[in-house]
Amino acid sequence: MRRAASIQLHPEALRHNLAVARRLAPGVSMWAVIKAEGYGHGLFWAAEALAGASDGLAVSQIGEARALREAGFDGALLVLQGPHDAGDVRACHELGLEPVIHEAAQLGHLDAVPVRLPTVWIKLNTGMNRLGFDPLDAEGVTRRLRAAGHGALGLHWMTHLACADEPEHPQNARQLERFVAAASPLPGHASVANSAALFAGWGRASGLDPERVCWARPGIMLYGAHPASVPADAPPEGPQADLRPAMTVQAPIIAVQPLEPGSTVGYGATWTAAAPGRAGIVAMGYADGYPRHAPSGTPVRVGDRICPLIGRVSMDMLAVDLTDCPQAKVGDPVTLWGEGLPVERVARAAGTISYELLTRVADRLQPAR
Ligand SMILES: *Cc1c(COP(=O)(O)O)cnc(C)c1O
């Protein structure tokens, strides 16, 4: 048994989950999003698991794309934040990247170097107000890029939905409508859907020409987490039930404390035993990436049971109530999330999202690679 917290990665889960994404949007091409170190699983690990299975890989930064090229990945690469300066434009050209252009300053970067980019994605801000041009400027941006000789292979269209994890939210219909209105008269591929939008059925935005090439951009679902926030105790259902976790985080019990009624556990004595019981001390804390703000009651899997976290999370340790696990003993591994305990349930209980838990797993947990 390992003495410390560790993660196991399941590459076949990534490919399985990509197949789920494809079933949700038949005929739609897939940019597998592996930004932020493959959502905490490792950039190269994710690229290796998905290359060949996805139609391309998407990252945020040119630097990530460069690292993938240097590692030998020669497939399609989308750079979601696009060039930050003229040097980045040159890199896009040399490395054969497909940058996203979302801001007027980037048009200046393009003008500053004598290269022509064959494929450019243009991001439209349809209401999220994060990245993207005003849809009313779509045609003007197209003209400007064409005049400078960019887009020989295509100028493509993209937007991002603010509320796709709440499919009924009226913002979705507004954004989809704006996107379709702006992109319809202009040639090029179209891309709207992240994981949540795929689950909502928007892999191909309705209203777009059915012949149009569409791309989705699944991220979190590839790693096995459902994008919608679900109650901690909700049984999985629908396509969510078919996702498999790509990461399992485990740590051993390193001590067991008998508790009397009135015993408290951990810093601040925030949890008090109501009955005789046992606290299992687990070698996983906030320095390992477990959220310190996870309250008592956050689920932890011990054997085949879910036991509640009790007391405050420490730097290298946390405590679980072992009252319902009389056999649990020092040396037994517990699962913090992953197989048998979906990360989104832990996230929900801790008042955060699966994305944050996955991307914050500490380096010291990573398997040697
Ligand atoms: C991160 C990101 C995605 C992937 O989103 P998920 O919710 O993880 O599926 C898609 N598109 C853009 C623009 C992104 O930044």
Side-chain angles (χ1 to χ4, degrees):
M1 180 58 213
R2 290 185 57 126
R3 293 276 114 213
S6 63
I7 67 175
Q8 294 157 27
L9 298 175
H10 316 294
E12 69 295 340
L14 279 191
R15 292 186 286 272
H16 169 87
N17 296 332
L18 179 65
V20 174
R22 288 198 189 278
R23 280 204 296 283
L24 290 168
V28 169
S29 298
M30 294 288 159
W31 289 118
V33 181
I34 61 167
K35 65 191 181 193
E37 291 298 321
Y39 285 51
H41 297 65
L43 181 69
F44 298 126
W45 179 82
E48 210 165 290
L50 288 161
S54 72
D55 302 292
L57 300 177
V59 292
S60 283
Q61 309 288 346
I62 306 285
E64 297 169 296
R66 181 187 293 285
L68 288 168
R69 283 285 186 255
E70 284 170 358
F73 177 75
D74 58 5
L77 277 178
L78 179 71
V79 184
L80 293 166
Q81 289 186 11
H84 294 308
D85 56 29
D88 280 356
V89 176
R90 210 180 286 278
C92 288
H93 185 254
E94 280 163 13
L95 300 169
L97 311 179
E98 302 188 23
V100 175
I101 304 293
H102 56 82
E103 150 70 33
Q106 293 177 311
L107 296 171
H109 304 329
L110 287 170
D111 289 342
V113 269
V115 298
R116 290 171 173 67
L117 301 179
T119 307
V120 176
W121 288 80
I122 303 166
K123 187 159 190 180
L124 299 178
N125 170 25
T126 52
M128 177 141 175
N129 289 314
R130 193 173 63 172
L131 302 183
F133 293 99
D134 187 320
L136 296 174
D137 295 337
E139 225 184 308
V141 173
T142 304
R143 267 201 306 275
R144 176 147 173 202
L145 289 172
R146 289 252 179 253
H150 301 294
L153 295 180
L155 295 179
H156 304 316
W157 301 96
M158 161 180 310
T159 196
H160 198 56
L161 302 176
C163 302
D165 58 341
E166 299 170 61
E168 306 303 325
H169 197 295
Q171 169 96 356
N172 292 309
R174 280 199 295 269
Q175 287 197 254
L176 287 164
E177 200 174 301
R178 277 184 204 144
F179 180 72
V180 169
S184 285
L186 299 162
H189 302 179
S191 178
V192 170
N194 61 358
S195 301
L198 276 169
F199 279 102
W202 300 324
R204 173 179 294 283
S206 71
L208 279 181
D209 178 351
E211 298 294 305
R212 189 134 183 179
V213 178
C214 286
W215 290 72
R217 309 183 303 272
I220 195 71
M221 68 174 293
L222 300 180
Y223 306 94
H226 192 274
S229 51
V230 290
D233 55 354
E237 54 184 45
Q240 173 192 356
D242 203 22
L243 295 178
R244 295 185 192 156
M247 173 195 292
T248 299
V249 177
Q250 290 193 314
I253 297 175
I254 56 169
V256 174
Q257 295 292 346
L259 301 174
E260 301 300 327
S263 302
T264 66
V265 172
Y267 284 118
T270 60
W271 186 87
T272 305
R278 298 193 311 151
I281 309 303
V282 176
M284 175 88 184
Y286 58 80
D288 297 298
Y290 198 90
R292 183 178 174 280
H293 54 269
S296 291
T298 301
V300 176
R301 190 174 177 96
V302 182
D304 56 3
R305 296 198 169 222
I306 299 295
C307 295
L309 176 89
I310 51 177
R312 277 191 199 151
V313 174
S314 305
M315 186 181 288
D316 291 320
M317 288 174 267
L318 55 77
V320 289
D321 182 353
L322 293 179
T323 305
D324 292 336
C325 292
Q327 337 72 332
K329 59 183 188 309
V330 169
D332 287 358
V334 310
T335 298
L336 288 315
W337 62 76
E339 281 176 344
L341 179 55
V343 62
E344 63 270 25
R345 293 209 199 178
V346 179
R348 168 84 179 209
T352 181
I353 54 177
S354 58
Y355 304 68
E356 188 178 26
L357 296 187
L358 294 176
T359 55
R360 289 204 173 171
V361 165
D363 283 346
R364 67 185 188 181
L365 271 66
Q366 299 287 346
R369 49 166 185 255

